[in-house]
Structure formats: structure tokens, C-alpha cells
Amino acid sequence: MTVAGRRAAGRGRQAQATLEFALVFGLFLLMLMAILDSWFWVVETDAAVSAVEQGVGVALAAYGSPLSTTTAVRAVYAEVAPALRPAMPGTAVEDWYATIWRSRIPSSRCPTATEVADHEGVGHVIVCATDDGSGHVIVSVTGYASSMVPPALGIFNWRGGGLPVAEEAAVDAGTY
């Protein structure tokens, strides 16, 4: 083999190695983002569970307080939102009572994650607390939090770039 032939063969192997590295590195980055996204989803879900538990306590405490000047279910958002915001970066945590489209949903129930995504889009989570009229307090945190993985690539991206968050708790105000 001539010198020119050996150089051409060396350049071919180098180009093949560069191409293989680019393919493997791209897959590695995609897997890393999916792992981080899964971890964020676990952290966000844990924060939502804690917020719902705290919200039920706040609503019931306001029911039993003669000094309470606000409706008990409206006091939940002010207590719960500061705990949710740091756990959900890039996601707007909104009050159910401040949303314009609230009139389309019966006041005896909170919206579903799909309803929140349909009206507000991905990256919005609604804090909702309702009184069903029979002494039950229902608190929910629902919506789709922002995601790092591009739409349709992650295992949790059912709404194109969002991680579903749907936590709810109900308690009988008479037994608290």
C-alpha cells in the first residue's frame, strides 16, 4: 500500500470514529435528560403531596377559627403556593379562584390535569380547594409542570413538554 493509500484509510477510520462518537453522545445526552426529568417529576409530585396535606390542614383550621375573615378554602393557596414554587421551576403555580375559566367547571369540584392543560397550557399547576357543601373539604394540586425533555421524547411527556401533576385529598370537616 502506498503512503497516499494509508493516509486515506486513516482519514476514513477517523471520520467513522467521529460519527460513532456523535451518535453515542447524542443518545447519552437524551438518556441523561430523561433521567433528570424523571427525578424532577418525583420531586414535583412529592411537593404536590405535601402541599395537599398542608392545604387540608389550613382549610380545616380556618373552618374552626372564629378569627378567620376569609373563606376557608380560599386561605389554602396563600399557604401552599410558597412551598410549591421552589419545587416546580419553570411552572406557574396559580390560584383556582383567580383563573378566568373557573366558571366553566362546577364549583363543587376541582379541575383535572387535562382541563388545566387545555385552558392554561403546559407549565401551569392549579391549587384548588373546594367545600362540597356537606362538610367535606377537597384540596388538589393539578396540571402539567414544565419538562426538560423535548416534546414526545420523554416517557412522561403525554402533553408535549409537560410532566403530569395530580394530587388530591379530601377530609370530613366534622371529624377533624
Side-chain angles (χ1 to χ4, degrees), residues 4-5 13 17 33 40 50 78 94 119 150 164 172:
R13 279 188 239 121
M33 285 178 21
F40 278 130
S50 297
E94 299 172 10
H119 291 283
D172 183 5

Side-chain angles (χ1 to χ4, degrees), residues 34-173:
I35 289 168
L36 288 173
D37 222 16
S38 298
W39 177 70
F40 278 130
W41 182 70
V42 168
V43 168
E44 290 169 347
T45 301
D46 186 47
V49 168
S50 297
V52 165
E53 291 172 357
Q54 180 184 357
V56 167
V58 167
L60 290 176
Y63 267 111
S65 171
L67 301 175
S68 178
T69 57
T70 63
T71 305
V73 293
R74 291 183 184 223
V76 171
Y77 175 76
E79 293 292 325
V80 168
L84 279 176
R85 284 193 181 102
M88 297 185 176
T91 301
V93 178
E94 299 172 10
D95 185 6
W96 170 238
Y97 290 98
T99 59
I100 297 168
W101 55 274
R102 181 171 106 67
S103 60
R104 298 182 197 147
I105 301 208
S107 61
S108 61
R109 75 171 181 91
C110 293
T112 64
T114 303
E115 289 171 333
V116 173
D118 288 344
H119 291 283
E120 300 289 329
V122 172
H124 293 269
V125 172
I126 300 288
V127 175
C128 174
T130 60
D131 179 0
D132 68 357
S134 62
H136 295 96
V137 176
I138 302 160
V139 177
S140 80
V141 174
T142 185
Y144 279 81
S146 297
S147 172
M148 290 183 351
V149 177
L153 292 178
I155 56 174
F156 296 119
N157 288 341
W158 298 306
R159 292 293 288 191
L163 301 171
V165 175
E167 296 299 327
E168 183 176 281
V171 69
D172 183 5

